[in-house]
Amino acid sequence: ESLQQTSADFVNSILKIFGIQMNNSVDMNTPLNEFGMDSLMSTELRLILEYGFGIKLSVQELRKASINSLKKLFDNNESPTK
């Protein structure tokens, strides 16, 4: 059994924070702050990205990010951040 996360797992982790189902029609290029991201959601997302996927972003970067831009970071992330 592989512990490696797929892109779909990654996107699903993000959508779950916002209470969005994977099968819903979602514009993946919409900035996360337009999904109604509050401070608790941004903290949860930052922790998941950093500790679950090795992607470290500031709050400002996260607010401007879209699901697609985060997915590109995930896809290009060969090794976790130090």
Side-chain angles (χ1 to χ4, degrees), residues 17-67:
I17 293 170
F18 295 97
I20 300 170
Q21 296 293 319
M22 188 73 154
N23 58 0
N24 287 2
S25 176
V26 175
D27 181 356
M28 303 289 255
N29 294 310
T30 300
L32 295 177
N33 64 343
E34 291 185 25
F35 284 115
M37 182 168 59
D38 60 21
S39 61
L40 185 59
M41 289 174 169
S42 67
T43 300
E44 183 179 0
L45 185 52
R46 285 183 66 222
L47 290 172
I48 287 171
L49 290 174
E50 185 171 351
Y51 295 107
F53 298 100
I55 299 169
K56 190 171 184 176
L57 295 173
S58 70
V59 174
Q60 292 79 15
E61 291 171 318
L62 196 57
R63 294 184 76 68
K64 294 177 188 172
S66 67
I67 294 171

Side-chain angles (χ1 to χ4, degrees), residues 6-8 10-11 14 28-29 49 53 55 57 65-78:
T6 65
S7 289
F10 178 76
V11 170
I14 297 169
M28 303 289 255
N29 294 310
L49 290 174
F53 298 100
I55 299 169
L57 295 173
S66 67
I67 294 171
N68 269 344
S69 67
L70 292 176
K71 183 180 171 298
K72 285 179 190 170
L73 287 174
F74 172 80
D75 290 341
N76 294 328
N77 194 25
E78 295 293 324

